[in-house]
Amino acid sequence: MNIQSSDRSRSGGEGAGPAPLLVLRRVVRLLSAIALWISGAGLVAMTAAVFWQVIGRYVLNASPSWTEPLSLLLMSWFILLGAAVGVRENMHLGFEIGLHFAPPPVRRAMEITTHLLVMGFGAAMAWYGWDLAMGTWSAKMAGVDLPQGVDYLPLVGGGALICLFSFERLLTDLTEGRVPEVPLAHVHTVE
């Protein structure tokens, strides 16, 4: 029995394309790896902060005030950075059944439209996240001596990376000039 799944690393290959696209792919691959490592470190740090919150509350009977806001901030970072990596690796939510049954020209148009929409979403997220961060920078976060605007910086970072990663995928699709195969996930074939 053979299990087929969709090609998730289409934009990760470096075999084809113009030289600037190859440079972009290398830079984006590096940024993706850094984002993934930061996301993982944020998850570990958040787990440690929550653990300390539990120890402080139930063992020391002195609950620290900084653990909850720090945990929420770390969670925002690792979720949004992880989402950006998901866009690059083509592991985000999608309507693949529609792509699977669409004729090749429609499939290509759907792929390009998807990249443009995701780019627009990431750009809007970064733009308005920055606007929120700057608008609330003068206020202080409760429990932590940081500006309130720090809470919105994950939107800026995650949105910018989502936009960049989708742009790379769009350029790859446009320069390769091929219609991607979209097999249904978890289709079983008997040999």
Side-chain angles (χ1 to χ4, degrees), residues 66-104:
W66 57 268
T67 55
E68 184 179 349
L70 180 66
S71 296
L72 292 172
L73 181 62
L74 290 170
M75 184 171 60
S76 296
W77 273 110
F78 75 72
I79 286 173
L80 290 166
L81 291 177
V85 171
V87 167
R88 179 165 193 276
E89 299 297 324
N90 198 25
M91 295 177 73
H92 55 88
L93 293 176
F95 187 60
E96 289 187 8
I97 192 106
L99 285 173
H100 180 75
F101 289 110

Side-chain angles (χ1 to χ4, degrees), residues 154-179:
L155 290 171
V156 178
L161 287 178
I162 286 171
C163 185
L164 176 65
F165 294 167
S166 191
F167 178 68
E168 181 227 2
R169 292 184 53 79
L170 174 68
L171 287 180
T172 298
D173 281 356
L174 290 174
T175 57
E176 287 180 358
R178 66 178 175 83
V179 178

Side-chain angles (χ1 to χ4, degrees), residues 7 10 12 25 72-73 111 114 121 125 129 142 160 174 179-180 185:
D7 181 16
R10 229 183 14 191
R25 283 181 183 163
L72 292 172
L73 181 62
E111 287 275 342
T114 299
F121 175 78
M125 201 166 83
L174 290 174
V179 178

Side-chain angles (χ1 to χ4, degrees), residues 49 51-67:
F51 177 73
W52 183 248
Q53 172 74 24
V54 170
I55 295 295
R57 180 175 292 162
Y58 296 108
V59 176
L60 304 175
N61 205 20
S63 186
S65 63
W66 57 268
T67 55

